[in-house]
Amino acid sequence: MVTTAPYGTWPSPVDARTVAAHDGRPAFVGVVGDEVWWTEPRPAEGGRRALIRRRPDGTEESVLPAPWNVRSRVLEYGGQPWAATVTERGPLVVFSDFADQRLYAYAPEHDEAPRPLTPLSGVGDGLRWVDPVLRPDLGEVWCVLEEFTGDRPTDVRRVIAAVPLDGSAAEHRDAVRELSDDRHRFVTGPRISPDGRRAAWIAWDHPHMPWDGTLVMLARITAGGAFEDIRPLVGGLGPTAADGGGSGESVAQIEWAADGALLFVSDLSGWWEVQRIDPDAADDDVVASRALCPAREEEFGGPLWNIGQRWFLPLDNGTLAVIHGRGATTLGILDPVSGELVDSAGPWTEWAPHLAVHGSRVVGIAAGPHSSYEIVELDTCTGRSRVIACRHADVLDPAYYPRPQSRTFTGPGGRDVHAHIHPPHHPDHTAPEGELPPFVVWAHGGPTGRAPLVLDLEIAYFTSRGIGVAEVNYGGSTGYGRAYRERLRGQWGVVDVEDCAAVARALADEGSADRARLAIRGGSAGGWTTAASLTATDLYACGTISYPILDLAGWATGETHDFESRYLESLVGPFAEVPDRYRERSPLHRADRITAPFLLLQGLDDVICPPAQCERFLAEVAGRGIPHAYLPFAGEGHGFRRAETIMRAVEAELSLYAQTFGITRSDVPVLELRG
């Protein structure tokens, strides 16, 4: 029997504990011999990342017990944190541990405990490592070294380095060999050619972000394992914002083909495309490349937020496994000769940029609107796909899951705005006739990123209670080509705010949402968009701001980490040239315009968006009579990983909406709002 009750009051089995227990997803999948390994989140274990192995018989086990946390902090967002190979003594894994960021070696079949390979450093934030490549023939592991040279977050250098596997560098920095120089601010790990004679990697420099412009660097490897004749091969950094804007060529990934050609993903055409180049076919320093699947107006790559991401990999038969799509992604097999692309079958509509291959098999991480992220294996010989690990299991009746719709709305000037709309949904409840539902606009982080259309129990937490969710892929989002991505150039705090508002207003205009009960929320860059929206419009009744940027000038002058320290030059403009713009757009300096209640959530260990900005913002709001709450979380950084934190944050957000929208609920603690 269907019960009639107001929106927002419906009972739901999707509680905060369930949301927290299923937060996060597997990542960094790889093949070790005949086994598949990956990292997965453990919210109940302090939010650590566990390294998991799946044996050929299907059994799974954790490679390392708690508190080992396989996670790198290079660029703060990390990247590929482990590499492994099979030796005569069984698997040997090298990994970065989050606690001290040292590299460790571990043979699960023999060693009692991991052995440190790299030293600690008392300078700044020390030494960090990511994207390792094992070279057992040389007795080394090659990877990116991030080395702090002073106490400021921008006192840092990055090189490709060789670390001895025998542990001789565990106490001696001098035992680490530097393979590349530090001519470039940022580098990825090396990719070694099939004959072992060449190494290639991606590099870029401030003020560019890797989706603005990168270079592919090439070096010869000497018999002793040194790099020589280092030179750029393809790519381009392009002009900076100070030179009039625009950008260069973004190469997001490189891999070697079996015949010695270099494969790479470039967005020179306006879309990230897979290309091939012969490093020896140089003519007056100009090398011609060839697109392998041109003119599809789809993305075969994405923003390089994590070093070691993989959108494609070559298979033994010469074909390529590729992740591609427009606004969504699928896994396909590309014939580089004919350009024919055949997509795999299955219910998955989003593939994470973490691929591995084993013979004719491809292993990836995929999800869909009705399933969470799973580890999927594609047999390219039979075309059959199957889930081999992290299988989605319905922890509650899927009748409570949202029924999302991907839509395109019209923004200012007639521009397209893409969004995923999750209306309220409950199998046993409906609202009184004529009542319109409250809706919350979700602004994703990045801002150079995208909200994928996948099952998210946090969304179900709200929709199953009668509160709709609209995930907006505002201008600046990835997945829709470079022109869409660059709409945010110089317009952060304008285009994102306008696009979110356009979707909210459209839902209200068409009668899908209650205009008086609209809210907005987001974390990181989404927290910025939320705060900026609350200071720019009276459209929203309230907002939830998580680990945000609130003061552009502070963020541009030393209050964030090195990777994004000059990001604002493209998003806003050079600080020295447009200081007034930094002040005018910052929520910190527009706090007097906020009239809506808000919830502010912040990790106290966040070095990307530090709590100092929240504290200054709260000081500006104090005494203005605006109901608000501030929940700081000790031990949390940029994004929440601990189960208890996630539970508290979700319940506090629901309480904010209940109080603001006039909804009575007894299943969550009442959030105390102070004026």
Side-chain angles (χ1 to χ4, degrees), residues 547-579:
Y547 38 93
I549 298 116
L550 297 168
D551 178 8
L552 293 177
W555 217 63
T557 55
E559 276 191 350
T560 192
H561 62 144
D562 184 61
F563 177 53
E564 294 179 274
S565 61
R566 298 182 67 181
Y567 193 5
L568 297 184
E569 292 191 26
S570 61
L571 292 174
V572 182
F575 179 60
E577 296 179 14
V578 289

mmCIF file of all heavy atoms in Angstrom, residues 547-579:
data_model
loop_
_atom_site.group_PDB
_atom_site.id
_atom_site.type_symbol
_atom_site.label_atom_id
_atom_site.label_comp_id
_atom_site.label_asym_id
_atom_site.label_seq_id
_atom_site.Cartn_x
_atom_site.Cartn_y
_atom_site.Cartn_z
ATOM 1 N N TYR A 547 34.637 21.818 2.976
ATOM 2 C CA TYR A 547 36.061 22.072 2.722
ATOM 3 C C TYR A 547 36.268 22.981 1.503
ATOM 4 O O TYR A 547 36.862 22.606 0.516
ATOM 5 C CB TYR A 547 36.851 20.767 2.611
ATOM 6 C CG TYR A 547 36.162 19.619 1.904
ATOM 7 C CD1 TYR A 547 36.338 19.385 0.542
ATOM 8 C CD2 TYR A 547 35.335 18.743 2.624
ATOM 9 C CE1 TYR A 547 35.718 18.331 -0.090
ATOM 10 C CE2 TYR A 547 34.710 17.682 1.990
ATOM 11 C CZ TYR A 547 34.903 17.490 0.630
ATOM 12 O OH TYR A 547 34.280 16.436 -0.011
ATOM 13 N N PRO A 548 35.805 24.249 1.613
ATOM 14 C CA PRO A 548 35.743 25.135 0.447
ATOM 15 C C PRO A 548 36.942 26.058 0.282
ATOM 16 O O PRO A 548 37.768 26.224 1.174
ATOM 17 C CB PRO A 548 34.507 25.974 0.775
ATOM 18 C CG PRO A 548 34.623 26.142 2.267
ATOM 19 C CD PRO A 548 35.204 24.846 2.801
ATOM 20 N N ILE A 549 36.996 26.677 -0.887
ATOM 21 C CA ILE A 549 37.802 27.872 -1.109
ATOM 22 C C ILE A 549 36.872 29.051 -0.860
ATOM 23 O O ILE A 549 35.794 29.127 -1.452
ATOM 24 C CB ILE A 549 38.364 27.935 -2.539
ATOM 25 C CG1 ILE A 549 39.279 26.746 -2.813
ATOM 26 C CG2 ILE A 549 39.104 29.233 -2.786
ATOM 27 C CD1 ILE A 549 38.788 25.832 -3.885
ATOM 28 N N LEU A 550 37.262 29.960 0.007
ATOM 29 C CA LEU A 550 36.411 31.100 0.357
ATOM 30 C C LEU A 550 37.099 32.440 0.122
ATOM 31 O O LEU A 550 36.433 33.466 0.038
ATOM 32 C CB LEU A 550 35.978 30.999 1.826
ATOM 33 C CG LEU A 550 35.111 29.777 2.174
ATOM 34 C CD1 LEU A 550 34.995 29.622 3.683
ATOM 35 C CD2 LEU A 550 33.735 29.891 1.531
ATOM 36 N N ASP A 551 38.424 32.411 0.038
ATOM 37 C CA ASP A 551 39.204 33.642 -0.124
ATOM 38 C C ASP A 551 40.204 33.420 -1.250
ATOM 39 O O ASP A 551 41.233 32.767 -1.068
ATOM 40 C CB ASP A 551 39.911 33.976 1.185
ATOM 41 C CG ASP A 551 40.782 35.224 1.090
ATOM 42 O OD1 ASP A 551 40.719 35.920 0.059
ATOM 43 O OD2 ASP A 551 41.534 35.499 2.045
ATOM 44 N N LEU A 552 39.906 33.949 -2.429
ATOM 45 C CA LEU A 552 40.764 33.729 -3.595
ATOM 46 C C LEU A 552 42.158 34.300 -3.388
ATOM 47 O O LEU A 552 43.152 33.665 -3.770
ATOM 48 C CB LEU A 552 40.125 34.363 -4.838
ATOM 49 C CG LEU A 552 38.822 33.741 -5.352
ATOM 50 C CD1 LEU A 552 38.292 34.538 -6.539
ATOM 51 C CD2 LEU A 552 39.030 32.284 -5.747
ATOM 52 N N ALA A 553 42.254 35.470 -2.792
ATOM 53 C CA ALA A 553 43.571 36.087 -2.611
ATOM 54 C C ALA A 553 44.438 35.229 -1.701
ATOM 55 O O ALA A 553 45.632 35.033 -1.959
ATOM 56 C CB ALA A 553 43.423 37.496 -2.053
ATOM 57 N N GLY A 554 43.861 34.718 -0.627
ATOM 58 C CA GLY A 554 44.632 33.852 0.261
ATOM 59 C C GLY A 554 45.081 32.584 -0.429
ATOM 60 O O GLY A 554 46.223 32.136 -0.259
ATOM 61 N N TRP A 555 44.191 32.016 -1.240
ATOM 62 C CA TRP A 555 44.524 30.772 -1.944
ATOM 63 C C TRP A 555 45.626 31.010 -2.970
ATOM 64 O O TRP A 555 46.413 30.119 -3.275
ATOM 65 C CB TRP A 555 43.259 30.229 -2.619
ATOM 66 C CG TRP A 555 43.142 28.741 -2.590
ATOM 67 C CD1 TRP A 555 43.042 27.951 -1.503
ATOM 68 C CD2 TRP A 555 43.104 27.870 -3.729
ATOM 69 N NE1 TRP A 555 42.929 26.621 -1.879
ATOM 70 C CE2 TRP A 555 42.964 26.554 -3.240
ATOM 71 C CE3 TRP A 555 43.164 28.066 -5.103
ATOM 72 C CZ2 TRP A 555 42.888 25.433 -4.069
ATOM 73 C CZ3 TRP A 555 43.076 26.972 -5.935
ATOM 74 C CH2 TRP A 555 42.951 25.668 -5.415
ATOM 75 N N ALA A 556 45.678 32.220 -3.513
ATOM 76 C CA ALA A 556 46.669 32.539 -4.551
ATOM 77 C C ALA A 556 48.000 32.996 -3.971
ATOM 78 O O ALA A 556 48.972 33.157 -4.707
ATOM 79 C CB ALA A 556 46.124 33.625 -5.470
ATOM 80 N N THR A 557 48.057 33.209 -2.659
ATOM 81 C CA THR A 557 49.282 33.766 -2.061
ATOM 82 C C THR A 557 49.780 32.919 -0.900
ATOM 83 O O THR A 557 50.205 33.454 0.130
ATOM 84 C CB THR A 557 49.040 35.212 -1.598
ATOM 85 O OG1 THR A 557 47.914 35.239 -0.697
ATOM 86 C CG2 THR A 557 48.764 36.136 -2.770
ATOM 87 N N GLY A 558 49.720 31.602 -1.069
ATOM 88 C CA GLY A 558 50.383 30.734 -0.105
ATOM 89 C C GLY A 558 49.503 29.888 0.774
ATOM 90 O O GLY A 558 50.017 29.160 1.628
ATOM 91 N N GLU A 559 48.172 29.934 0.588
ATOM 92 C CA GLU A 559 47.287 29.177 1.470
ATOM 93 C C GLU A 559 46.837 27.846 0.858
ATOM 94 O O GLU A 559 45.846 27.286 1.303
ATOM 95 C CB GLU A 559 46.061 30.002 1.852
ATOM 96 C CG GLU A 559 46.323 30.918 3.029
ATOM 97 C CD GLU A 559 45.052 31.540 3.599
ATOM 98 O OE1 GLU A 559 43.987 31.407 2.976
ATOM 99 O OE2 GLU A 559 45.157 32.153 4.664
ATOM 100 N N THR A 560 47.552 27.361 -0.121
ATOM 101 C CA THR A 560 47.222 26.044 -0.647
ATOM 102 C C THR A 560 48.499 25.359 -1.073
ATOM 103 O O THR A 560 49.598 25.903 -0.943
ATOM 104 C CB THR A 560 46.205 26.121 -1.801
ATOM 105 O OG1 THR A 560 45.712 24.811 -2.099
ATOM 106 C CG2 THR A 560 46.837 26.709 -3.062
ATOM 107 N N HIS A 561 48.358 24.151 -1.594
ATOM 108 C CA HIS A 561 49.523 23.362 -1.971
ATOM 109 C C HIS A 561 50.058 23.794 -3.327
ATOM 110 O O HIS A 561 49.426 24.563 -4.067
ATOM 111 C CB HIS A 561 49.160 21.873 -1.964
ATOM 112 C CG HIS A 561 48.075 21.510 -2.948
ATOM 113 N ND1 HIS A 561 48.061 20.330 -3.642
ATOM 114 C CD2 HIS A 561 46.971 22.172 -3.371
ATOM 115 C CE1 HIS A 561 47.007 20.280 -4.422
ATOM 116 N NE2 HIS A 561 46.327 21.376 -4.275
ATOM 117 N N ASP A 562 51.232 23.273 -3.678
ATOM 118 C CA ASP A 562 51.934 23.734 -4.872
ATOM 119 C C ASP A 562 51.171 23.444 -6.159
ATOM 120 O O ASP A 562 51.112 24.288 -7.051
ATOM 121 C CB ASP A 562 53.314 23.075 -4.933
ATOM 122 C CG ASP A 562 54.136 23.574 -6.099
ATOM 123 O OD1 ASP A 562 54.423 24.784 -6.150
ATOM 124 O OD2 ASP A 562 54.478 22.753 -6.981
ATOM 125 N N PHE A 563 50.579 22.260 -6.259
ATOM 126 C CA PHE A 563 49.930 21.835 -7.500
ATOM 127 C C PHE A 563 48.908 22.862 -7.979
ATOM 128 O O PHE A 563 48.869 23.215 -9.158
ATOM 129 C CB PHE A 563 49.273 20.473 -7.274
ATOM 130 C CG PHE A 563 48.494 19.943 -8.450
ATOM 131 C CD1 PHE A 563 49.054 19.852 -9.710
ATOM 132 C CD2 PHE A 563 47.186 19.506 -8.288
ATOM 133 C CE1 PHE A 563 48.340 19.338 -10.787
ATOM 134 C CE2 PHE A 563 46.464 18.992 -9.345
ATOM 135 C CZ PHE A 563 47.044 18.911 -10.610
ATOM 136 N N GLU A 564 48.076 23.370 -7.084
ATOM 137 C CA GLU A 564 47.009 24.291 -7.476
ATOM 138 C C GLU A 564 47.315 25.738 -7.110
ATOM 139 O O GLU A 564 46.433 26.602 -7.199
ATOM 140 C CB GLU A 564 45.690 23.871 -6.825
ATOM 141 C CG GLU A 564 45.170 22.537 -7.332
ATOM 142 C CD GLU A 564 43.878 22.124 -6.651
ATOM 143 O OE1 GLU A 564 43.947 21.513 -5.563
ATOM 144 O OE2 GLU A 564 42.806 22.415 -7.208
ATOM 145 N N SER A 565 48.548 26.026 -6.733
ATOM 146 C CA SER A 565 48.873 27.357 -6.232
ATOM 147 C C SER A 565 48.727 28.442 -7.289
ATOM 148 O O SER A 565 48.604 29.628 -6.950
ATOM 149 C CB SER A 565 50.297 27.372 -5.656
ATOM 150 O OG SER A 565 51.251 27.054 -6.648
ATOM 151 N N ARG A 566 48.734 28.052 -8.582
ATOM 152 C CA ARG A 566 48.537 29.049 -9.634
ATOM 153 C C ARG A 566 47.370 28.692 -10.559
ATOM 154 O O ARG A 566 47.239 29.228 -11.661
ATOM 155 C CB ARG A 566 49.838 29.246 -10.420
ATOM 156 C CG ARG A 566 50.965 29.774 -9.536
ATOM 157 C CD ARG A 566 52.237 30.027 -10.296
ATOM 158 N NE ARG A 566 52.101 31.121 -11.238
ATOM 159 C CZ ARG A 566 53.086 31.532 -12.056
ATOM 160 N NH1 ARG A 566 54.269 30.947 -11.989
ATOM 161 N NH2 ARG A 566 52.882 32.508 -12.909
ATOM 162 N N TYR A 567 46.542 27.784 -10.093
ATOM 163 C CA TYR A 567 45.334 27.360 -10.815
ATOM 164 C C TYR A 567 44.429 28.550 -11.108
ATOM 165 O O TYR A 567 43.788 28.639 -12.160
ATOM 166 C CB TYR A 567 44.623 26.332 -9.939
ATOM 167 C CG TYR A 567 43.528 25.512 -10.542
ATOM 168 C CD1 TYR A 567 43.184 25.562 -11.894
ATOM 169 C CD2 TYR A 567 42.803 24.630 -9.730
ATOM 170 C CE1 TYR A 567 42.168 24.773 -12.409
ATOM 171 C CE2 TYR A 567 41.792 23.841 -10.237
ATOM 172 C CZ TYR A 567 41.466 23.911 -11.573
ATOM 173 O OH TYR A 567 40.458 23.129 -12.064
ATOM 174 N N LEU A 568 44.375 29.500 -10.166
ATOM 175 C CA LEU A 568 43.453 30.623 -10.308
ATOM 176 C C LEU A 568 43.837 31.558 -11.443
ATOM 177 O O LEU A 568 43.004 32.365 -11.870
ATOM 178 C CB LEU A 568 43.382 31.405 -8.996
ATOM 179 C CG LEU A 568 42.844 30.646 -7.781
ATOM 180 C CD1 LEU A 568 42.735 31.574 -6.588
ATOM 181 C CD2 LEU A 568 41.510 29.990 -8.084
ATOM 182 N N GLU A 569 45.057 31.466 -11.941
ATOM 183 C CA GLU A 569 45.445 32.339 -13.054
ATOM 184 C C GLU A 569 44.607 32.054 -14.291
ATOM 185 O O GLU A 569 44.339 32.952 -15.087
ATOM 186 C CB GLU A 569 46.932 32.200 -13.353
ATOM 187 C CG GLU A 569 47.800 32.747 -12.240
ATOM 188 C CD GLU A 569 49.261 32.875 -12.619
ATOM 189 O OE1 GLU A 569 49.549 33.018 -13.833
ATOM 190 O OE2 GLU A 569 50.110 32.833 -11.714
ATOM 191 N N SER A 570 44.204 30.787 -14.459
ATOM 192 C CA SER A 570 43.320 30.474 -15.574
ATOM 193 C C SER A 570 41.851 30.611 -15.178
ATOM 194 O O SER A 570 41.026 31.032 -15.985
ATOM 195 C CB SER A 570 43.585 29.054 -16.098
ATOM 196 O OG SER A 570 43.354 28.090 -15.091
ATOM 197 N N LEU A 571 41.508 30.278 -13.935
ATOM 198 C CA LEU A 571 40.115 30.321 -13.511
ATOM 199 C C LEU A 571 39.617 31.738 -13.248
ATOM 200 O O LEU A 571 38.434 32.030 -13.448
ATOM 201 C CB LEU A 571 39.936 29.490 -12.233
ATOM 202 C CG LEU A 571 40.106 27.981 -12.359
ATOM 203 C CD1 LEU A 571 40.047 27.340 -10.988
ATOM 204 C CD2 LEU A 571 39.052 27.390 -13.278
ATOM 205 N N VAL A 572 40.511 32.612 -12.795
ATOM 206 C CA VAL A 572 40.111 33.968 -12.425
ATOM 207 C C VAL A 572 40.899 35.011 -13.215
ATOM 208 O O VAL A 572 40.342 35.974 -13.744
ATOM 209 C CB VAL A 572 40.307 34.197 -10.911
ATOM 210 C CG1 VAL A 572 39.851 35.605 -10.527
ATOM 211 C CG2 VAL A 572 39.536 33.157 -10.101
ATOM 212 N N GLY A 573 42.220 34.828 -13.308
ATOM 213 C CA GLY A 573 43.109 35.771 -13.969
ATOM 214 C C GLY A 573 44.335 35.962 -13.099
ATOM 215 O O GLY A 573 44.329 35.614 -11.916
ATOM 216 N N PRO A 574 45.427 36.500 -13.651
ATOM 217 C CA PRO A 574 46.627 36.740 -12.841
ATOM 218 C C PRO A 574 46.331 37.696 -11.693
ATOM 219 O O PRO A 574 45.765 38.771 -11.884
ATOM 220 C CB PRO A 574 47.605 37.358 -13.854
ATOM 221 C CG PRO A 574 47.101 36.922 -15.192
ATOM 222 C CD PRO A 574 45.621 36.858 -15.065
ATOM 223 N N PHE A 575 46.709 37.302 -10.487
ATOM 224 C CA PHE A 575 46.385 38.081 -9.294
ATOM 225 C C PHE A 575 46.941 39.501 -9.384
ATOM 226 O O PHE A 575 46.274 40.469 -8.991
ATOM 227 C CB PHE A 575 46.915 37.363 -8.054
ATOM 228 C CG PHE A 575 46.647 38.087 -6.766
ATOM 229 C CD1 PHE A 575 45.346 38.372 -6.368
ATOM 230 C CD2 PHE A 575 47.693 38.482 -5.943
ATOM 231 C CE1 PHE A 575 45.089 39.037 -5.176
ATOM 232 C CE2 PHE A 575 47.448 39.143 -4.748
ATOM 233 C CZ PHE A 575 46.145 39.427 -4.368
ATOM 234 N N ALA A 576 48.160 39.631 -9.897
ATOM 235 C CA ALA A 576 48.780 40.961 -9.963
ATOM 236 C C ALA A 576 48.020 41.898 -10.905
ATOM 237 O O ALA A 576 48.071 43.115 -10.737
ATOM 238 C CB ALA A 576 50.235 40.829 -10.408
ATOM 239 N N GLU A 577 47.311 41.323 -11.885
ATOM 240 C CA GLU A 577 46.613 42.147 -12.876
ATOM 241 C C GLU A 577 45.166 42.437 -12.497
ATOM 242 O O GLU A 577 44.616 43.483 -12.868
ATOM 243 C CB GLU A 577 46.660 41.455 -14.238
ATOM 244 C CG GLU A 577 48.061 41.296 -14.798
ATOM 245 C CD GLU A 577 48.058 40.582 -16.141
ATOM 246 O OE1 GLU A 577 46.971 40.463 -16.743
ATOM 247 O OE2 GLU A 577 49.149 40.166 -16.587
ATOM 248 N N VAL A 578 44.537 41.504 -11.790
ATOM 249 C CA VAL A 578 43.110 41.695 -11.483
ATOM 250 C C VAL A 578 42.849 41.460 -9.988
ATOM 251 O O VAL A 578 41.981 40.656 -9.611
ATOM 252 C CB VAL A 578 42.222 40.775 -12.344
ATOM 253 C CG1 VAL A 578 42.200 41.234 -13.783
ATOM 254 C CG2 VAL A 578 42.677 39.326 -12.243
ATOM 255 N N PRO A 579 43.567 42.129 -9.105
ATOM 256 C CA PRO A 579 43.359 41.888 -7.663
ATOM 257 C C PRO A 579 41.935 42.193 -7.216
ATOM 258 O O PRO A 579 41.412 41.533 -6.311
ATOM 259 C CB PRO A 579 44.378 42.814 -7.001
ATOM 260 C CG PRO A 579 44.628 43.890 -8.019
ATOM 261 C CD PRO A 579 44.546 43.203 -9.344
#
